[in-house]
Amino acid sequence: MKNSYSLGEIVSNIISLIYTKLFFPGARLIRRPVYIRGKKFLQYGKGLTTGYNCRLEMFDNGNGIKKKLIIGLNCKMGDNVHIAASERVVIGDNCLMASKIYISDTSHGDYSDMSVDSSPDIAPDDRPLYSKPVCIGNNVWIGENVCILLGVTIGDGCIIGANSVVNKDIPKDCIAVGSPAKVIKRFNRELNKWEKI
């Protein structure tokens, strides 16, 4: 499929390409505007491409981790992708992300029990931050409007369907959809085909 860009888009891409070459060596294209907080905690592989209005946030919470957001080789993000990393978010090689995706290893409060610091009587912004690493494998395709929450591991070769909320691990070679996301197909390597679960 060949893209046809308008003259305005061509000019914008040329400006973004110059910006990329100056400030993001090895990346393919970082489209502007892009919002990056805590760039020293970012590590990315060759060939990174972002859409417009991507927001990458890495927080210095004093835990001593030098790289909090690690993006593999040849990853492509659509527009309005928001990634927040307090502890660690790792994205493997050759991942494709649609637009309006949210990935975070952090939550305001811990809702797994009746802890006092997560009480509804406390303003959400005053609740302590909890974090658990997020790991996304190689060759993962993440659809439009997906939300990936703290502590989740997504295996190699997975597809996450549009509008899904991933709040638990997804094994490799699976298609998961829904809110919360559930596996609906798995790739059978012996038969070389996707099978319903």
Side-chain angles (χ1 to χ4, degrees):
M1 181 166 90
K2 191 170 182 173
N3 290 330
S4 296
Y5 292 118
S6 67
L7 179 59
E9 183 87 11
I10 291 169
V11 170
S12 178
N13 279 336
I14 290 170
I15 292 168
S16 291
L17 184 60
I18 293 167
Y19 172 78
T20 302
K21 298 306 173 195
L22 289 174
F23 298 105
F24 295 91
R28 183 173 166 263
L29 183 63
I30 306 297
R31 287 187 175 88
R32 292 175 43 99
V34 61
Y35 307 95
I36 299 176
R37 181 185 299 170
K39 187 177 177 186
K40 69 179 182 178
F41 298 109
L42 172 63
Q43 176 182 316
Y44 60 90
K46 191 172 181 178
L48 173 65
T49 303
T50 69
Y52 298 104
N53 297 305
C54 287
R55 183 172 153 199
L56 309 177
E57 297 178 296
M58 292 72 60
F59 306 107
D60 187 358
N61 56 8
N63 64 7
I65 297 174
K66 295 196 183 324
K67 298 300 178 186
K68 296 183 180 236
L69 175 54
I70 300 169
I71 302 171
L73 299 169
N74 301 312
C75 288
K76 296 175 180 74
M77 298 178 191
D79 300 337
N80 299 296
V81 171
H82 179 191
I83 303 174
S86 175
E87 189 170 336
R88 180 157 292 174
V89 174
V90 177
I91 299 169
D93 297 339
N94 306 308
C95 288
L96 178 63
M97 298 180 206
S99 297
K100 301 181 195 100
I101 292 168
Y102 177 66
I103 302 168
S104 178
D105 69 351
T106 308
S107 175
H108 289 267
D110 178 9
Y111 304 94
S112 60
D113 60 24
M114 296 299 292
S115 71
V116 173
D117 60 11
S118 300
S119 167
D121 297 328
I122 300 171
D125 202 33
D126 292 335
R127 298 173 195 167
L129 290 176
Y130 288 85
S131 63
K132 292 181 185 173
V134 170
C135 184
I136 297 170
N138 299 321
N139 304 317
V140 173
W141 177 18
I142 302 171
E144 196 90 358
N145 294 314
V146 167
C147 181
I148 299 172
L149 302 178
L150 68 158
V152 165
T153 296
I154 297 173
D156 293 346
C158 284
I159 299 168
I160 309 298
N163 301 307
S164 295
V165 176
V166 186
N167 63 355
K168 62 183 179 186
D169 294 351
I170 306 294
K172 70 176 187 170
D173 300 334
C174 288
I175 299 174
V177 300
S179 180
K182 294 181 180 166
V183 174
I184 60 164
K185 286 188 177 183
R186 180 171 283 129
F187 191 74
N188 184 325
R189 293 200 171 270
E190 290 179 12
L191 300 176
N192 202 33
K193 69 176 190 174
W194 291 97
E195 295 181 327
K196 288 183 181 179
I197 301 234

